[in-house]
Amino acid sequence: KNQVEQSPQSLIILEGKNCTLQCNYTVSPFSNLRWYKQDTGRGPVSLTIMTFSENTKSNGRYTATLDADTKQSSLHITASQLSDSASYICVVKTDSWGKLQFGAGTQVVVTP
Amino acid sequence: SAVISQKPSRDICQRGTSLTIQCQVDSQVTMMFWYRQQPGQSLTLIATANQGSEATYESGFVIDKFPISRPNLTFSTLTVSNMSPEDSSIYLCSVEVSNYGYTFGSGTRLTVV
């Protein structure tokens, strides 16, 4: 069973609307959680990274939240643009030398 | 963060042949990571490459199939050997510059026919 579960698997939103992606994890111990954006056929690009003590981190129109107690994170996209169409991947790292645990990603399609 | 140049970006190969993927980093890094991403799935770690030593392979991946070179602290190659259609995937290299930051190459989209 994957230790990082993302939902929804995919979603379609209208340009200009907001959306929220979810990430639940069971990885332990926890070092940090990252959200990546992956355009089709490209490598993932980091959006945010949060440690245990951080609850919110923003990067432009992207805002990530983290609840380390419930092991949940979300990524909120504000005023979506067509260029936001991509796969968004939640990645959790265990301790300093731990491997990365990848979620399967949420495929976002923004339509005009 | 580091900048990674990965090539080729894509290739179509005949079954039974081999393809070597290159990653060049603009700074010296201790470890480089190679991932495979099959269609619609998350990234799977193939191996970790340290300079001057043999790569460490994850369960399900073997050196004969995925030989890796790491001649210096800024460069690594992954070879996909004796390819079959099941090897069709995106292959990515990655480095961790600090305890926080992972940077990925742009990926190599491999199609085996």
Side-chain angles (χ1 to χ4, degrees), chain B residues 17-74:
Chain B
T17 62
S18 298
L19 175 71
T20 296
I21 302 167
Q22 300 180 3
C23 274
Q24 178 75 51
V25 190
D26 68 346
S27 57
Q28 293 184 339
V29 293
T30 303
M31 292 190 289
M32 293 182 71
F33 306 90
W34 287 97
Y35 291 88
R36 181 175 73 183
Q37 186 178 27
Q38 295 178 305
Q41 298 188 21
S42 60
L43 280 71
T44 300
L45 182 63
I46 297 172
T48 303
N50 292 321
Q51 190 268 334
S53 63
E54 281 197 4
T56 302
Y57 289 82
E58 298 300 304
S59 175
F61 298 97
V62 295
I63 187 171
D64 289 344
K65 177 67 175 177
F66 298 101
I68 288 172
S69 77
R70 184 80 201 276
N72 56 54
L73 291 174
T74 63

